[in-house]
Amino acid sequence: MVFKRLLGAMGAGGPSVDTVLDGGAVAPGGILSGQVHLQGGSADVEIEHIGLDLIARVEAEHEDGESEGAVVFERFTVGGGFRLAEQERHSVPFSVSLPWETPVSELYGQPLGIVLGVRTELAVAGARDKGDLDPLAVRPLPVQEAVLEALGQLGFGFKSADLEHGHIGGTGQQLPFYQEIELTPAPQYAHVVNEIELTFLATQAGMEIVLEADKRGGLFEPGQDALTRFTVSHHDVRARDWNSEVDGWIRQLVEHRASYGSHATYGHADPYAAGSGYGHHSAHGSSHASAYESGHGSGHEGHRSGPGLGTAVAAGAAGLAVGVVGGLVAAEVVDEVGDFFEGDDDEGGEED
């Protein structure tokens, strides 16, 4: 997808920029590549800096309710220090690595309702202009896909996905927000939970998987949240019985009520070692707020027995197709991204 804009900060006759991302979705920790195409204006100019910002639409909870804003979660300098002559065409190729915690925005090509963008910034003669955005598509890592597929085959359904501002206590989270994927319960768990929330926190070594259950209350007791965390390696993804493993996680989630959030859960020397799928875990029966700390800156084929979550997402994406989830539709995501970030330069998470 190509966006083109005359850089307003440079005045009439200034240079224009096209940022073109190479096709296809990128996985977290993967390489995002493309080119920044410049077109000289009516005079020679010094291109001091060409930058790329990775931006996400993030929800924040506060005393007055909820709000949404733009958060810059990574910045790259991809060029600069050259002279662009009048009407000259100049292209700057780039290749940068996405943060490992970059949220997943699609599954099997179906959008999840997560808004991510790549914004180009050009600095000329002391003036900076933030250009339009390219939408950024992020596909899941093999471990993420395996877990989601297992959940779908166990009977869980995709409900929605969003980005929450804050930090999950007791984890190695690096970004100032985390992704929540909300799932409707499988029939065998529908009597004990209202929904399951899933968060992936990837690193180069492996993956922290945080599961939270909104547990149903009884006649004389209110419902409560339960939360548990597991670590898995990126290795041997195809050799593991993910259906059994993930089902075991869910059973522990709904049955246990131990305390959660202590950094002591990092007691294992190598939590991502191959075969350590259960790594370490804990759960709690207290409030959601005790586990989520507010912050500002911060297949095994032989065991599968039904459609995976890709099918569930495709069904859930019917809602996306009419703009129900996240206010997005596939054909309008470009305009939605641009509209959302327009005028949000001063929102939390950005620094001048």
mmCIF file of all heavy atoms in Angstrom, residues 12 48-49 53 76 86 113 122 146 151 154 171 199 201 216 244 278 294 315:
data_model
loop_
_atom_site.group_PDB
_atom_site.id
_atom_site.type_symbol
_atom_site.label_atom_id
_atom_site.label_comp_id
_atom_site.label_asym_id
_atom_site.label_seq_id
_atom_site.Cartn_x
_atom_site.Cartn_y
_atom_site.Cartn_z
ATOM 1 N N ALA A 12 4.807 25.130 0.339
ATOM 2 C CA ALA A 12 4.485 24.845 -1.059
ATOM 3 C C ALA A 12 5.765 24.642 -1.846
ATOM 4 O O ALA A 12 6.752 25.362 -1.677
ATOM 5 C CB ALA A 12 3.672 25.990 -1.651
ATOM 6 N N GLU A 48 17.830 15.957 6.378
ATOM 7 C CA GLU A 48 18.582 15.719 7.602
ATOM 8 C C GLU A 48 18.268 14.369 8.240
ATOM 9 O O GLU A 48 19.147 13.742 8.844
ATOM 10 C CB GLU A 48 18.272 16.839 8.601
ATOM 11 C CG GLU A 48 18.655 18.224 8.090
ATOM 12 C CD GLU A 48 18.162 19.322 9.003
ATOM 13 O OE1 GLU A 48 17.424 19.012 9.974
ATOM 14 O OE2 GLU A 48 18.509 20.487 8.769
ATOM 15 N N HIS A 49 17.025 13.932 8.118
ATOM 16 C CA HIS A 49 16.611 12.749 8.879
ATOM 17 C C HIS A 49 15.392 12.117 8.223
ATOM 18 O O HIS A 49 14.461 12.814 7.840
ATOM 19 C CB HIS A 49 16.268 13.183 10.316
ATOM 20 C CG HIS A 49 15.521 12.160 11.119
ATOM 21 N ND1 HIS A 49 16.158 11.225 11.912
ATOM 22 C CD2 HIS A 49 14.186 11.946 11.287
ATOM 23 C CE1 HIS A 49 15.235 10.484 12.513
ATOM 24 N NE2 HIS A 49 14.033 10.896 12.148
ATOM 25 N N ASP A 53 8.165 5.536 12.487
ATOM 26 C CA ASP A 53 7.560 5.272 13.789
ATOM 27 C C ASP A 53 6.576 4.118 13.665
ATOM 28 O O ASP A 53 5.753 4.092 12.738
ATOM 29 C CB ASP A 53 6.789 6.490 14.314
ATOM 30 C CG ASP A 53 7.691 7.652 14.681
ATOM 31 O OD1 ASP A 53 8.913 7.437 14.793
ATOM 32 O OD2 ASP A 53 7.159 8.768 14.855
ATOM 33 N N PHE A 76 12.723 4.162 14.341
ATOM 34 C CA PHE A 76 13.916 3.815 13.583
ATOM 35 C C PHE A 76 14.352 5.009 12.748
ATOM 36 O O PHE A 76 13.513 5.729 12.204
ATOM 37 C CB PHE A 76 13.651 2.650 12.612
ATOM 38 C CG PHE A 76 13.064 1.423 13.246
ATOM 39 C CD1 PHE A 76 11.698 1.188 13.184
ATOM 40 C CD2 PHE A 76 13.881 0.504 13.890
ATOM 41 C CE1 PHE A 76 11.144 0.050 13.751
ATOM 42 C CE2 PHE A 76 13.336 -0.641 14.468
ATOM 43 C CZ PHE A 76 11.970 -0.862 14.398
ATOM 44 N N GLU A 86 16.435 19.797 -6.784
ATOM 45 C CA GLU A 86 15.134 20.183 -7.323
ATOM 46 C C GLU A 86 14.612 19.111 -8.275
ATOM 47 O O GLU A 86 15.320 18.680 -9.197
ATOM 48 C CB GLU A 86 15.279 21.520 -8.058
ATOM 49 C CG GLU A 86 14.016 22.003 -8.733
ATOM 50 C CD GLU A 86 14.235 23.292 -9.511
ATOM 51 O OE1 GLU A 86 15.351 23.859 -9.416
ATOM 52 O OE2 GLU A 86 13.304 23.723 -10.214
ATOM 53 N N GLY A 113 -8.938 -6.683 14.281
ATOM 54 C CA GLY A 113 -9.416 -5.416 14.818
ATOM 55 C C GLY A 113 -8.340 -4.590 15.487
ATOM 56 O O GLY A 113 -8.647 -3.602 16.162
ATOM 57 N N LEU A 122 10.067 13.088 8.025
ATOM 58 C CA LEU A 122 11.148 13.680 7.241
ATOM 59 C C LEU A 122 11.543 15.015 7.865
ATOM 60 O O LEU A 122 10.674 15.835 8.185
ATOM 61 C CB LEU A 122 10.683 13.904 5.794
ATOM 62 C CG LEU A 122 11.760 14.133 4.730
ATOM 63 C CD1 LEU A 122 12.622 12.883 4.565
ATOM 64 C CD2 LEU A 122 11.107 14.510 3.411
ATOM 65 N N ALA A 146 -0.049 -21.989 16.948
ATOM 66 C CA ALA A 146 -0.345 -23.320 17.485
ATOM 67 C C ALA A 146 -1.289 -23.230 18.682
ATOM 68 O O ALA A 146 -2.225 -24.031 18.813
ATOM 69 C CB ALA A 146 0.951 -24.025 17.885
ATOM 70 N N LEU A 151 -6.828 -23.803 20.806
ATOM 71 C CA LEU A 151 -7.995 -23.250 21.484
ATOM 72 C C LEU A 151 -9.240 -23.387 20.616
ATOM 73 O O LEU A 151 -10.325 -23.730 21.107
ATOM 74 C CB LEU A 151 -7.743 -21.782 21.836
ATOM 75 C CG LEU A 151 -6.808 -21.540 23.024
ATOM 76 C CD1 LEU A 151 -6.333 -20.087 23.047
ATOM 77 C CD2 LEU A 151 -7.510 -21.882 24.332
ATOM 78 N N LEU A 154 -10.401 -26.929 20.579
ATOM 79 C CA LEU A 154 -11.001 -27.295 21.858
ATOM 80 C C LEU A 154 -12.400 -26.727 22.019
ATOM 81 O O LEU A 154 -13.107 -27.088 22.958
ATOM 82 C CB LEU A 154 -10.109 -26.807 23.010
ATOM 83 C CG LEU A 154 -8.782 -27.549 23.184
ATOM 84 C CD1 LEU A 154 -7.892 -26.806 24.178
ATOM 85 C CD2 LEU A 154 -9.013 -28.990 23.638
ATOM 86 N N THR A 171 5.636 -10.393 34.829
ATOM 87 C CA THR A 171 6.064 -10.840 33.506
ATOM 88 C C THR A 171 7.256 -10.018 33.037
ATOM 89 O O THR A 171 7.639 -9.034 33.664
ATOM 90 C CB THR A 171 4.933 -10.694 32.470
ATOM 91 O OG1 THR A 171 4.699 -9.288 32.215
ATOM 92 C CG2 THR A 171 3.643 -11.334 32.967
ATOM 93 N N THR A 199 -3.092 -13.389 26.395
ATOM 94 C CA THR A 199 -2.033 -12.434 26.056
ATOM 95 C C THR A 199 -0.748 -13.187 25.759
ATOM 96 O O THR A 199 -0.351 -14.084 26.505
ATOM 97 C CB THR A 199 -1.782 -11.445 27.211
ATOM 98 O OG1 THR A 199 -2.940 -10.635 27.400
ATOM 99 C CG2 THR A 199 -0.597 -10.531 26.904
ATOM 100 N N LEU A 201 3.353 -12.688 25.240
ATOM 101 C CA LEU A 201 4.507 -11.810 25.438
ATOM 102 C C LEU A 201 5.731 -12.544 24.903
ATOM 103 O O LEU A 201 6.319 -13.378 25.596
ATOM 104 C CB LEU A 201 4.676 -11.461 26.925
ATOM 105 C CG LEU A 201 3.519 -10.687 27.562
ATOM 106 C CD1 LEU A 201 3.730 -10.557 29.072
ATOM 107 C CD2 LEU A 201 3.364 -9.303 26.925
ATOM 108 N N ARG A 216 -17.607 -17.630 36.401
ATOM 109 C CA ARG A 216 -19.000 -17.419 36.793
ATOM 110 C C ARG A 216 -19.157 -17.549 38.303
ATOM 111 O O ARG A 216 -18.482 -18.351 38.954
ATOM 112 C CB ARG A 216 -19.908 -18.438 36.095
ATOM 113 C CG ARG A 216 -19.930 -18.326 34.582
ATOM 114 C CD ARG A 216 -20.962 -19.251 33.992
ATOM 115 N NE ARG A 216 -20.915 -19.258 32.538
ATOM 116 C CZ ARG A 216 -21.510 -18.362 31.759
ATOM 117 N NH1 ARG A 216 -22.196 -17.382 32.337
ATOM 118 N NH2 ARG A 216 -21.429 -18.441 30.451
ATOM 119 N N SER A 244 -3.780 -31.095 23.993
ATOM 120 C CA SER A 244 -3.702 -31.577 25.373
ATOM 121 C C SER A 244 -3.020 -30.561 26.278
ATOM 122 O O SER A 244 -3.439 -30.340 27.415
ATOM 123 C CB SER A 244 -2.934 -32.908 25.424
ATOM 124 O OG SER A 244 -3.631 -33.920 24.726
ATOM 125 N N TYR A 278 4.943 -26.431 30.456
ATOM 126 C CA TYR A 278 4.249 -25.933 31.627
ATOM 127 C C TYR A 278 5.102 -24.957 32.400
ATOM 128 O O TYR A 278 4.599 -24.298 33.293
ATOM 129 C CB TYR A 278 3.809 -27.099 32.526
ATOM 130 C CG TYR A 278 2.624 -27.822 31.938
ATOM 131 C CD1 TYR A 278 2.797 -28.862 31.043
ATOM 132 C CD2 TYR A 278 1.342 -27.412 32.227
ATOM 133 C CE1 TYR A 278 1.711 -29.497 30.468
ATOM 134 C CE2 TYR A 278 0.244 -28.045 31.648
ATOM 135 C CZ TYR A 278 0.441 -29.092 30.774
ATOM 136 O OH TYR A 278 -0.627 -29.718 30.199
ATOM 137 N N SER A 294 -1.177 -0.669 36.388
ATOM 138 C CA SER A 294 -1.252 0.464 35.473
ATOM 139 C C SER A 294 0.122 1.058 35.274
ATOM 140 O O SER A 294 0.894 1.191 36.215
ATOM 141 C CB SER A 294 -2.196 1.531 36.031
ATOM 142 O OG SER A 294 -2.217 2.655 35.198
ATOM 143 N N ALA A 315 -15.295 -16.622 11.295
ATOM 144 C CA ALA A 315 -16.681 -16.363 11.659
ATOM 145 C C ALA A 315 -16.790 -15.052 12.400
ATOM 146 O O ALA A 315 -17.686 -14.239 12.146
ATOM 147 C CB ALA A 315 -17.215 -17.508 12.515
#
